[in-house]
Amino acid sequence: MQPQPRSRSLSPLMRQLILLAGCCAIAVALLLAWNAYEEALSRGRQELLAGGERLASSVDHELMIRRHTLYTMQVLAEQYLAERSPLNWEVHPYLYPQPQHHGYALQLPAGFTNQALGNITGLGPIPAADSAVVREMQMALALTPMFRTLIARDPDTPWVYYTSAKQFLYLYPRVGVADYFVTEQTFGMDFFMKAHPAENPAGELVWTPAYQDQAGRGWMVTISAPVHERGVFRGAISVDITTSRLAWLLERVPIEHSSRHLLQADGKKLASAGGPAPQLQPGSWPQHTLLARGQRLLAVFPLEVNTWYLVLDGDARALQREAMRQSLPFWLLVLFLSGSLGLVVILLRSWARVEQLSTHDWLTGLWNRRAFDEQLHDALGHLKRGGSSLALILFDVDNFKHYNDTLGHPAGDKALQDISRVVQLVAQRQDDRVYRLGGEEFAIVTSLPDQPRLQAFMDRVAAAVCDARIPHPGSEHGVLTISLGGVLLLQGAQPDAAEAYRQADKALYRAKASGKNRGCRHDDG
């Protein structure tokens, strides 16, 4: 066996290891990038859910303040009815008829401003000075300081008022009778009827659905507290909250990539911020949980103060984009490693191509003269160290100059390629190597056990080329032929490369001299 040819390139195993290491690095980077993306996405969802919890708590807090304030006014109203109103002036002298409204109204007493006192409008005749209705009016007017304080602390509160079952209404802040006057329909509205024992036998504070304000202040909701005197329903104290104020409450806690909505239990919208409200029944939706609906993420938070629900509508794609942005360094690492691996593959292929070009003939693809010199030197060294016998065969194309001159160099190049393929079909054992030394000169290095085998091998090569029937008009055979000279170097021989080459070349010369199209061996090897 001959030693394997030396290679200046990385071994196939080393190339595979390099590619495997690159693929492993990319796989690790992909895993890191995906984990970073998933963690960022999970963190974004948790922040969205936590923001919803904070917002629900904030809205609850604001509404609870109004609830507590209303409860305080309810207690005072019932106390004033049970005892005596602290009002230090009589209301009856300031009541004057309003025939066009079939009722009466409160004239602003001297020394009072529109900011200091609200207005009473009632239906029917003016009640008697010592009647329970007037005493009820005294109670309502005595609540004015609390009404005024509530409006001062929250200017967005449109109205605070007391609606009596005796068909009068005390409204603060004060508006003229031309702008608002109580009507029969007023006592059928939710802010009064929901506080009435017929719908509220437990006497609890109640919240209305959203409705259009009769006094022109837009859409609003109302919280009402029933007022009783010795267990008898007298009326309701009410505080209005505009839906625009509710929308402002929804904007107080910033939550990125989401819209916020207040919905009633039946799914009707009270207020929205950041986008249109989703269509859903909040009572049947899982609470305090972020669930996907298409490209939206919905979470429902019930309020403690009433039966309303805060609905958080998150943009799933925006969260995904943000997660991708946060994990971008890892994805860039994946791209960098992928590009680097691609560059390494290109370099390895280029390296292999360069080596191929440096050791192989560009025309025929056979080993070139450089590879021949190196491999022959290695093979002779192996022979000197006790390796098996080695055969060196030189051959060239007979009358090739005449062939080139007659048919041209392109035809000559094609003929050399055809001869190379034919020879390789004969010399196709693992130990057989065919070289183009230059021009029409070739060499074969192989392992053969004895001289007869060497001769037989050269005869087969010569016959194969002749049988290929490559036309040669200047040849006595009519086709291209080759002449071969070979030398057999037995185990333990000590010749150097130059000597072995000289012996083979001498044998080739004898083949040419003895008629060509044949092989001769150097029998003295």
Side-chain angles (χ1 to χ4, degrees):
M1 293 289 292
Q2 299 179 35
Q4 292 297 316
R6 287 181 290 173
S7 174
R8 288 178 169 78
S9 134
L10 295 174
S11 68
L13 177 60
M14 184 59 68
R15 294 181 187 180
Q16 291 175 3
L17 290 176
I18 290 174
L19 294 178
L20 180 61
C23 291
C24 289
I26 292 174
V28 171
L30 274 172
L31 183 61
L32 291 175
W34 182 254
N35 285 342
Y37 171 78
E38 286 291 324
E39 288 178 3
L41 188 60
S42 176
R43 188 164 54 250
R45 293 187 179 202
Q46 291 172 2
E47 290 174 356
L48 192 64
L49 197 59
E53 297 281 4
R54 291 194 303 273
L55 180 57
S57 178
S58 174
V59 173
D60 253 331
H61 175 73
E62 290 293 329
L63 298 181
M64 194 67 74
I65 291 175
R66 286 159 178 76
R67 181 184 177 92
H68 288 328
T69 302
L70 186 61
Y71 176 74
T72 301
M73 289 190 289
Q74 178 195 37
V75 171
L76 284 178
E78 292 180 346
Q79 180 181 337
Y80 294 163
L81 288 176
E83 301 172 3
R84 178 178 174 79
S85 167
L87 194 69
N88 56 9
W89 54 277
E90 296 295 329
V91 64
H92 186 266
Y94 298 99
L95 297 176
Y96 66 100
Q98 287 287 319
Q100 68 274 31
H101 295 293
H102 307 285
Y104 55 90
L106 175 67
Q107 183 179 0
L108 191 66
F112 284 88
T113 65
N114 286 336
Q115 289 74 32
L117 198 65
N119 190 23
I120 293 177
T121 57
L123 300 178
I126 297 175
D130 57 351
S131 67
V133 178
V134 171
R135 189 164 60 87
E136 195 176 336
M137 293 179 185
Q138 296 283 132
M139 174 274 294
L141 290 168
L143 295 175
T144 301
M146 291 200 70
F147 287 8
R148 187 165 55 242
T149 300
L150 178 59
I151 295 294
R153 289 181 177 176
D154 186 2
D156 288 334
T157 300
W159 313 111
V160 187
Y161 46 96
Y162 174 77
T163 308
S164 173
K166 298 299 185 181
Q167 294 198 311
F168 76 83
L169 185 145
Y170 174 54
L171 180 66
Y172 186 89
R174 183 182 181 86
V175 294
V177 294
D179 296 317
Y180 179 77
F181 203 96
V182 69
T183 65
E184 290 284 354
Q185 289 75 22
T186 301
F187 301 98
M189 296 186 67
D190 283 339
F191 64 79
F192 182 75
M193 289 304 301
K194 285 185 175 294
H196 195 277
E199 295 190 24
N200 184 27
E204 298 176 345
L205 276 64
V206 294
W207 296 81
T208 71
Y211 65 94
Q212 187 78 28
D213 179 40
Q214 287 184 331
R217 298 295 292 271
W219 286 90
M220 61 184 58
V221 296
T222 301
I223 178 173
S224 297
V227 175
H228 297 84
E229 181 183 10
R230 298 181 178 86
V232 178
F233 176 74
R234 294 302 184 188
I237 305 173
S238 302
V239 177
D240 288 343
I241 306 173
T242 61
T243 55
S244 60
R245 178 67 175 182
L246 295 177
W248 177 82
L249 291 177
L250 295 177
E251 295 174 346
R252 291 185 62 187
V253 177
I255 306 176
E256 293 184 343
H257 313 307
S258 71
S259 58
R260 286 81 66 199
H261 315 276
L262 278 178
L263 302 184
Q264 298 173 169
D266 59 4
K268 292 182 179 179
K269 184 185 78 169
L270 292 167
S272 291
Q279 299 296 319
L280 58 85
Q281 294 294 323
S284 60
W285 194 268
Q287 299 174 2
H288 304 279
T289 303
L290 204 60
L291 295 180
R293 178 197 269 184
Q295 290 299 320
R296 311 303 299 178
L297 294 172
L298 300 179
V300 173
F301 306 89
L303 299 185
E304 296 180 4
V305 72
N306 53 25
T307 58
W308 296 351
Y309 293 85
L310 169 68
V311 176
L312 191 64
D313 186 359
D315 186 343
R317 288 183 176 175
L319 288 179
Q320 292 166 359
R321 289 192 296 269
E322 178 61 21
M324 184 62 73
R325 186 191 67 79
Q326 294 182 23
S327 60
L328 183 60
F330 294 96
W331 293 111
L332 291 177
L333 176 61
V334 172
L335 290 177
F336 172 76
L337 291 177
S338 300
S340 299
L341 182 60
L343 182 59
V344 167
V345 171
I346 293 173
L347 290 176
L348 288 176
R349 289 179 176 176
S350 299
W351 196 345
R353 180 60 178 163
V354 168
E355 187 200 32
Q356 173 76 12
L357 292 175
S358 69
T359 58
H360 287 73
D361 178 55
W362 66 271
L363 178 63
T364 63
L366 300 177
W367 296 97
N368 63 12
R369 181 59 184 255
R370 175 184 177 184
F372 171 77
D373 291 339
E374 291 179 353
Q375 294 174 22
L376 179 60
H377 180 273
D378 292 344
L380 290 174
H382 179 68
L383 184 67
K384 292 176 182 179
R385 293 190 297 272
S388 59
S389 60
L390 175 70
L392 170 60
I393 301 170
L394 301 180
F395 69 91
D396 68 9
V397 183
D398 297 328
N399 302 312
F400 190 68
K401 182 178 184 305
H402 183 271
Y403 187 90
N404 264 342
D405 292 344
T406 303
L407 300 179
H409 288 282
D413 291 345
K414 176 68 167 54
L416 293 177
Q417 291 172 341
D418 292 340
I419 291 172
S420 298
R421 284 192 290 270
V422 170
V423 174
Q424 284 182 302
L425 290 176
V426 178
Q428 56 183 347
R429 297 182 307 162
Q430 182 178 357
D431 290 343
D432 299 338
R433 292 194 183 87
V434 185
Y435 306 85
R436 183 188 179 205
L437 303 182
E440 70 273 21
E441 298 177 3
F442 296 82
I444 300 174
V445 176
T446 185
S447 295
L448 293 170
D450 50 41
Q451 297 286 3
R453 298 284 183 90
L454 173 59
Q455 186 64 55
F457 181 80
M458 290 191 293
D459 292 344
R460 287 200 309 273
V461 173
V465 173
C466 185
D467 292 342
R469 314 303 295 175
I470 304 171
H472 185 351
S475 171
E476 61 186 69
H477 301 286
V479 295
L480 280 174
T481 60
I482 62 172
S483 297
L484 304 92
V487 59
L488 183 65
L489 305 171
L490 300 177
Q491 183 176 7
Q494 298 295 317
D496 59 15
E499 177 62 20
Y501 189 90
R502 187 191 66 78
Q503 294 174 359
D505 187 58
K506 186 176 180 180
L508 171 60
Y509 180 78
R510 288 205 315 270
K512 290 281 189 181
S514 52
K516 304 177 183 176
N517 189 27
R518 68 193 64 200
C520 291
R521 64 181 184 272
H522 182 78
D523 293 333
D524 299 331

